[in-house]
């Protein structure tokens, strides 16, 4: 309930004193502390704020945010996704909100690592709910590898789903919350949780996280390619620095945004090239598959270029021309 | 009408030709520098990318044949179909980086004005980047990628051809400022053909030979040289000890231009590999298609051929190996092979057998020389 941060919910505390006078003390208070949320904040903003506090307080085991673990804003990255069903859908008016929080924590005294696991909290119609089959199916059907994650299992633990990841970095922790409701709430409306909608909501949250934070949730493919960046950068830097052509070296410095005035060492040039290559890989990893275009060629030729579709074998295959490709 | 349109097409085939320039070191370095600048520019675009490397496709689908109009020399060349190496393609990343690494190394050698062999380059790359280079073949292919990218000859990159070939016989070869070497007095080992194409270009050649005989195998070359067969029929003997390297082809081509009246005759084993070797001297190759076309020569097939089989005992015939069949299929699909060669190949395939030149020794060790002489005198070559 605290995570949902529903406005204008007050809690009434009544203490019955078991003495003869039958006195009762009543106290009404608002459970929400002073928060940056307006009354008009959307549900998903509230959910986001709620999860953020939940994580900052080590899953509500503390009264206040843990300053030693979360000494800077960068330690916690949070994003959200909202999916709603169309009018033409068999259950129109359904809304799924997903919020994901990623904490990057180094060794800390108070934080007890929960290893490679994530508790996915579930809410339905503004109340805590059990985990639906639809939700479990949605979670297992997401292509986590495109976010650099490998799902081992997702199991129903009654009040939350427990996801186990394969080899998450030790300092990284993921928290997640999913809230399904009908837009007519609190009007009575019966519906079944929708697997596709839940999947869409979670993916939107993941994409939002990736979009806002460079280098986060890189796909396994991108991580692999990035590992080659130092070697590529080294080769190109090697060519630049072994050239005696000052104009060429100067142009390269300009393109790399390096100072022209002083003599620049190979390591500096190499590091700059490496940074740029990794940045491009990370940026392009965020683009949806369908938008990714073929990279431009190194040399433009004015003849129509004919990409050979049969050229899928690049490293070890000799094609059919063995006779004509003996080493010379 | 069909013939007319075919012959007019021959005039236009040169427009399709894609070739590697023979460049000076600073010109090659300029091309590599352009590659670097373009890469960095594209990396810094508002919509940045890691550019792909466009390489001229070295496959038969991109090969064409140029049939000589005024001469009887045909050659294979490559046209303008490209394939690309990309950093981002899974399983192809290393191939992409290998091209840059070879470019880097060649750039350094060119700055130092050094020339290296492919073997030396392999060892240097193995030491510098063991995760990327594991075999000589891989290095050679990457070198061809760089040739296909920069469109400059391998020699221009500072890489010397191997020194495999040998010459013997009635020719005098003189390097600048050196004594002339009489190749008929070199013994059975012959004169070693340098891998330095500039040196070969500068050789002064004099001959009174009437024929040039290209021999597939070293052992046969040695036998012929030892027996001074080149004196019985005035000739020049040449071998690349197997599949012809660029330096041997280069020198043969120079000889064919310097002495155009000398027929060039090939003595190869009777098997698809022998015919493939002959074809390479004759037409060039796809693997080095951007440069090899320059060194095609009008080589004729002296032997061994189908009608020589009667001269050798049945037991010297051996079955064709799977590799032979692979080569044969490749030859059959080639558009350059003339009909009479196809027929010979068909006979090989049908018989399922192969024969080596050495089988002729059944008739005596001096038989080889006699065989050669007889065939030459009878002009029994195709």
């Amino acid at each position: 309930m605290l995570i949902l941060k529903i406005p204008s919910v007050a809690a009434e505390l009544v203490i019955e004193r078991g003495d003869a006078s039958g006195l009762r003390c009543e106290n009404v208070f608002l459970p929400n502390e002073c928060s940056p949320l307006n009354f008009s904040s959307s549900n998903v903003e509230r959910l986001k704020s709620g999860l953020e506090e939940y994580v900052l307080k080590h899953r509500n085991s503390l009264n206040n945010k843990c300053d030693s673990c979360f000494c800077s804003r960068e330690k916690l990255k949070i994003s959200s996704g909202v999916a709603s069903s169309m009018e033409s859908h068999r259950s129109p008016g359904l809304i799924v909100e997903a919020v994901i929080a990623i904490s990057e924590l180094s060794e800390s005294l108070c934080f007890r690592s929960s290893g490679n696991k994530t508790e996915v909290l579930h809410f339905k119609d503004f109340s805590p709910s059990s985990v639906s089959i639809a939700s479990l199916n949605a979670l297992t059907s997401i292509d986590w590898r495109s976010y650099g994650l490998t799902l081992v299992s997702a199991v129903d633990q009654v009040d939350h789903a427990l996801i186990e990841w394969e080899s998450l970095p030790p300092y990284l922790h993921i928290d997640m919350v999913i809230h399904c409701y009908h837009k007519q709430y609190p009007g009575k409306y019966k519906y079944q949780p929708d697997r596709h909608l839940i999947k869409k909501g979670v993916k939107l949250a993941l994409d939002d996280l990736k979009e806002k934070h460079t280098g986060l949730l890189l796909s396994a493919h991108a991580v692999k390619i990035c590992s080659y960046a130092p070697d590529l950068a080294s080769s190109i830097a090697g060519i630049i620095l072994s050239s005696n052509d000052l104009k060429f070296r100067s142009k390269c410095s300009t393109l790399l945004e390096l100072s022209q005035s002083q003599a620049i060492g190979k390591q500096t040039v190499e590091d700059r090239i490496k940074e740029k290559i990794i940045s491009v890989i990370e940026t392009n990893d965020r683009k949806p598959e369908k938008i990714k275009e073929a990279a431009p060629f190194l040399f433009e030729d004015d003849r129509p270029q004919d990409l050979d579709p049969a050229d899928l074998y690049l490293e070890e295959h000799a094609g059919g021309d063995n006779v004509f490709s003996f080493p010379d | 009408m069909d013939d007319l349109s075919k012959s007019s097409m021959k005039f236009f085939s040169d427009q399709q030709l894609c070739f590697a320039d023979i460049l000076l070191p600073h010109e090659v370095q300029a091309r590599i520098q352009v590659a670097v600048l373009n890469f960095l520019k594209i990396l810094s675009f508002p919509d940045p990318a890691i550019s792909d490397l466009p390489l001229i496709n070295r496959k038969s689908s991109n090969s064409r044949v140029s049939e000589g109009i005024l001469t009887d020399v045909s050659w294979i060349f490559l046209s303008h179909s490209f394939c690309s190496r990309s950093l981002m393609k899974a399983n192809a990343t290393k191939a992409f980086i290998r091209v840059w690494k070879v470019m880097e190394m060649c750039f350094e050698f060119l700055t130092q004005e050094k020339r290296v062999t492919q073997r030396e380059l392999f060892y240097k790359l193995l030491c510098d980047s063991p995760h990327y280079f594991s075999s000589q073949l891989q290095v050679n292919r990457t070198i061809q990628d760089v040739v296909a990218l920069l469109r400059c000859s391998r020699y221009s990159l500072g890489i010397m051809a191997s020194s495999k070939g040998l010459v013997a016989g009635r020719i005098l070869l003189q390097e600048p400022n050196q004594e002339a070497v009489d190749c008929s007095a070199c013994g059975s080992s012959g004169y070693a053909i340098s891998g330095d194409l500039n040196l070969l270009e500068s050789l002064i050649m004099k001959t009174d030979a009437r024929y040039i005989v290209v021999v597939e195998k070293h052992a046969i070359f040695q036998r012929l040289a030892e027996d001074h067969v080149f004196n019985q029929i005035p000739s020049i003997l040449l071998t690349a000890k197997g599949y012809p390297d660029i330096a041997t082809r280069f020198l043969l081509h120079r000889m064919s231009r310097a002495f155009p009246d000398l027929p060039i005759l090939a003595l190869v084993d009777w098997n698809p590999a022998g015919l493939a070797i002959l074809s390479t001297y004759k037409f060039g190759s796809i693997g080095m298609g951007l440069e090899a076309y320059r060194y095609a020569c009008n080589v004729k097939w002296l032997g061994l051929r189908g009608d020589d089989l009667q001269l050798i005992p049945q037991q010297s015939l051996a079955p064709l190996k799977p590799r032979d069949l692979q080569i044969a299929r490749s030859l059959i699909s080639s558009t350059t092979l003339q009909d009479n060669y196809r027929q010979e190949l068909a006979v090989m395939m049908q018989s399922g057998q192969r024969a080596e030149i050495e089988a002729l020794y059944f008739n005596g060790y001096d038989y080889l020389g006699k065989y050669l002489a007889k065939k030459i005198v009878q002009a029994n070559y195709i």
Side-chain angles (χ1 to χ4, degrees):
Chain A
M1 297 297 283
L2 295 175
I3 293 172
L4 288 170
K5 290 212 170 178
I6 306 164
S8 60
V9 168
E12 184 175 354
L13 179 65
V14 178
I15 301 168
E16 287 260 357
R17 283 188 6 198
D19 61 7
S21 61
L23 277 177
R24 282 161 59 141
C25 298
E26 289 179 1
N27 225 320
V28 173
F29 60 93
L30 289 174
N32 296 330
E33 307 131 11
C34 291
S35 79
L37 294 172
N38 292 326
F39 189 76
S40 56
S41 294
S42 65
N43 289 330
V44 72
E45 287 298 315
R46 292 176 184 284
L47 190 62
K48 224 166 133 178
S49 174
L51 186 70
E52 184 176 12
E53 254 181 55
Y54 176 76
V55 173
L56 289 172
K57 290 178 185 173
H58 290 317
R59 288 158 203 86
N60 283 353
S61 59
L62 302 174
N63 286 327
N64 293 302
K65 169 188 144 184
C66 178
D67 284 319
S68 59
C69 291
F70 296 101
C71 49
S72 85
R73 282 221 62 110
E74 287 305 303
K75 296 284 188 184
L76 180 64
K77 296 175 171 69
I78 195 157
S79 71
S80 60
V82 182
S84 48
S85 62
M86 310 277 282
E87 287 310 314
S88 55
H89 196 261
R90 56 190 159 88
S91 316
L94 294 189
I95 297 174
V96 170
E97 294 168 354
V99 178
I100 300 176
I102 294 188
S103 348
E104 293 177 83
L105 305 173
S106 45
E107 291 286 319
S108 76
L109 295 166
C110 48
F111 181 69
R112 192 170 48 85
S113 169
S114 47
N116 293 340
K117 296 193 173 74
T118 290
E119 290 177 358
V120 183
L121 306 173
H122 283 70
F123 290 89
K124 188 181 171 195
D125 294 335
F126 297 89
S127 300
S129 84
S130 56
V131 181
S132 62
I133 306 271
S135 180
L136 271 182
N137 287 344
L139 290 171
T140 45
S141 68
I142 289 171
D143 176 24
W144 294 101
R145 279 188 68 80
S146 61
Y147 301 101
L149 299 166
T150 309
L151 183 120
V152 173
S153 62
V155 294
D156 182 354
Q157 302 268 295
V158 182
D159 61 346
H160 62 265
L162 188 68
I163 290 181
E164 189 176 345
W165 307 105
E166 186 180 285
S167 57
L168 209 58
Y171 55 83
L172 207 68
H173 194 80
I174 304 175
D175 288 277
M176 218 184 292
V177 61
I178 297 174
H179 182 202
C180 304
Y181 61 95
H182 195 277
K183 68 177 183 188
Q184 281 179 4
Y185 181 87
K188 295 278 183 216
Y189 200 89
K190 277 209 177 305
Y191 62 90
Q192 289 299 318
D194 186 311
R195 176 178 88 102
H196 296 290
L197 214 58
I198 293 170
K199 182 176 175 179
K200 188 177 171 187
V202 174
K203 272 182 64 78
L204 284 169
L206 287 166
D207 290 337
D208 183 42
L209 207 52
K210 209 166 154 165
E211 180 66 40
K212 289 199 299 222
H213 302 283
T214 314
L216 198 62
L217 297 179
L218 273 187
S219 68
H221 173 69
V223 169
K224 187 174 177 205
I225 305 290
C226 282
S227 68
Y228 290 107
D231 291 329
L232 179 58
S234 167
S235 278
I236 296 174
I239 294 171
I240 297 171
L241 284 142
S242 51
S243 171
N244 296 325
D245 184 338
L246 294 174
K247 265 177 82 173
F248 164 68
R249 289 173 70 149
S250 166
K251 278 187 196 165
C252 291
S253 292
T254 308
L255 287 167
L256 292 169
E257 293 151 356
L258 291 169
S259 156
Q260 302 273 354
S261 53
Q262 68 226 57
I264 296 166
K266 186 179 184 223
Q267 198 57 52
T268 311
V269 176
E270 207 174 301
D271 287 343
R272 181 54 61 89
I273 297 173
K274 186 179 80 177
E275 266 168 44
K276 281 184 164 273
I277 291 171
I278 290 176
S279 162
V280 171
I281 295 169
E282 289 175 352
T283 306
N284 289 338
D285 194 50
R286 298 204 289 268
K287 289 183 189 164
E289 270 313 308
K290 37 186 184 292
I291 294 178
K292 281 181 191 166
E293 290 157 11
F297 275 149
L298 200 58
F299 295 116
E300 290 304 328
D301 191 87
D302 48 36
R303 284 178 180 273
Q305 291 184 357
D306 174 14
L307 276 174
D308 188 351
D311 187 51
L312 300 170
Y313 303 102
L314 294 165
E315 282 204 358
E316 296 304 319
H317 280 248
D321 290 323
N322 287 336
V323 143
F324 300 110
S325 60
F326 284 130
D328 216 62
Chain B
M1 270 313 281
D2 197 46
D3 283 339
L4 194 63
S5 68
K6 259 192 192 165
S7 66
S8 63
M9 285 313 290
K10 285 174 197 169
F11 281 107
F12 294 107
S13 66
D14 277 357
Q15 289 177 6
Q16 296 172 30
L17 172 69
C18 212
F19 58 90
D21 297 310
I22 297 172
L23 299 174
L24 295 169
H26 73 270
E27 291 171 317
V28 176
Q29 288 188 303
R31 287 192 187 186
I32 296 175
Q33 284 175 182
V34 166
V36 169
L37 285 171
N38 285 348
F39 184 88
L40 294 180
K41 273 185 205 156
I42 293 168
L43 203 60
S44 310
F45 276 170
D47 191 14
I50 296 165
S51 30
D52 290 346
L53 300 171
L55 311 178
I56 299 287
N57 221 333
R58 282 129 42 215
K59 294 235 159 89
S60 53
S61 53
N62 189 33
S63 69
R64 309 275 184 276
V65 183
S66 172
E67 286 166 58
I69 303 155
L70 298 173
T71 70
D72 43 11
V73 182
S74 303
W75 60 79
I76 293 170
F77 64 92
L78 295 179
S79 193
H80 292 270
S81 162
F82 288 82
C83 62
S84 73
R85 292 243 182 274
S86 172
L87 182 74
M88 300 307 296
K89 275 192 198 150
N91 303 324
T93 312
K94 277 186 168 181
F96 178 90
I97 296 182
R98 277 199 284 268
V99 177
W100 280 104
K101 290 212 168 279
V102 169
M103 273 207 289
E104 182 198 359
M105 197 149 280
C106 290
F107 194 90
E108 268 176 46
F109 287 136
L110 290 168
T111 306
Q112 294 161 16
E113 294 176 13
K114 278 165 77 165
R115 288 206 174 278
V116 290
T117 61
Q118 286 191 131
R119 195 77 184 149
E120 285 171 316
L121 192 63
F122 165 59
Y123 279 110
K124 190 93 176 47
L125 290 164
L126 192 64
C127 290
D128 277 6
S129 317
H131 296 300
Y132 291 95
F133 296 95
S134 56
S135 71
Q136 182 71 60
L137 187 61
Q138 210 172 48
V139 169
N140 295 356
R141 284 195 184 133
T142 310
I143 291 167
Q144 290 306 318
D145 280 354
V146 175
V147 167
L149 173 73
L150 301 177
R151 305 222 216 145
C152 68
S153 71
R154 187 178 63 185
Y155 187 74
S156 307
L157 289 171
I159 299 168
M160 291 214 291
S162 55
S163 173
K164 264 204 327 163
L166 302 168
V167 183
R170 303 192 64 82
I171 186 168
L172 297 175
L173 296 170
Q174 187 178 13
E175 291 173 34
N177 307 318
Q178 302 280 325
E179 293 282 313
V181 173
D182 180 0
C183 296
S184 64
C186 286
S188 60
S189 50
Y191 168 89
I193 299 173
S194 166
D196 185 337
L197 301 184
N198 276 349
L199 193 148
L200 294 179
E201 181 67 55
S202 66
L203 281 178
I204 302 162
M205 304 189 292
K206 290 189 184 121
T207 186
D208 62 358
R210 304 283 299 282
Y211 303 93
I212 300 174
V213 181
V214 176
V215 182
E216 175 185 344
K217 298 194 303 201
H218 187 199
I220 303 295
F221 174 90
Q222 282 181 310
R223 165 62 42 214
L224 293 171
E226 219 170 87
D227 292 350
H228 293 267
V229 161
F230 44 72
N231 287 331
Q232 294 157 29
I233 299 262
S235 51
I236 301 167
L237 300 176
L238 187 111
T239 185
K241 298 186 224 163
Y243 192 83
D245 57 300
I246 274 283
T248 308
R249 284 190 240 169
F250 183 97
L251 187 63
L252 179 65
H253 187 255
R254 268 211 72 205
M255 285 183 194
S256 72
R257 297 281 289 275
F259 317 119
D261 297 330
L262 266 53
I264 305 173
L265 312 171
L267 182 61
V268 297
D269 285 342
W270 191 68
N271 61 24
L275 181 53
I277 286 168
L278 163 59
S279 296
T280 306
Y281 280 111
K282 204 172 163 68
F283 304 117
S285 63
I286 290 174
M288 283 190 72
L290 291 170
E291 3 180 0
Y293 74 93
R294 291 193 177 97
Y295 312 121
C297 298
N298 185 10
V299 180
K300 303 211 192 299
W301 192 357
L302 182 86
L304 286 175
R305 299 204 318 272
D307 55 4
D308 296 325
L309 295 182
Q310 57 184 316
L311 305 169
I312 60 174
Q314 192 62 25
Q315 55 266 39
S316 61
L317 293 168
L320 288 175
K321 295 180 195 157
R323 180 92 172 124
D324 292 319
L325 297 171
Q326 210 179 353
I327 295 171
R329 278 193 288 271
S330 190
L331 283 168
I332 286 167
S333 65
S334 147
T335 44
T336 50
L337 216 57
Q338 61 211 60
D339 288 338
N340 44 10
Y341 286 22
R342 276 185 197 277
Q343 278 159 24
E344 286 279 341
L345 191 60
V347 171
M348 276 183 217
M349 302 282 283
Q350 273 156 26
S351 72
Q353 291 174 314
R354 56 204 291 258
E356 295 189 348
I357 303 166
E358 283 90 337
L360 291 169
Y361 291 144
F362 168 76
N363 303 302
Y365 282 111
D366 59 347
Y367 186 75
L368 185 60
K370 290 178 189 164
Y371 161 86
L372 202 67
K374 189 173 175 193
K375 285 212 111 169
I376 289 174
V377 159
Q378 289 176 343
N380 187 350
Y381 35 84
I382 54 172

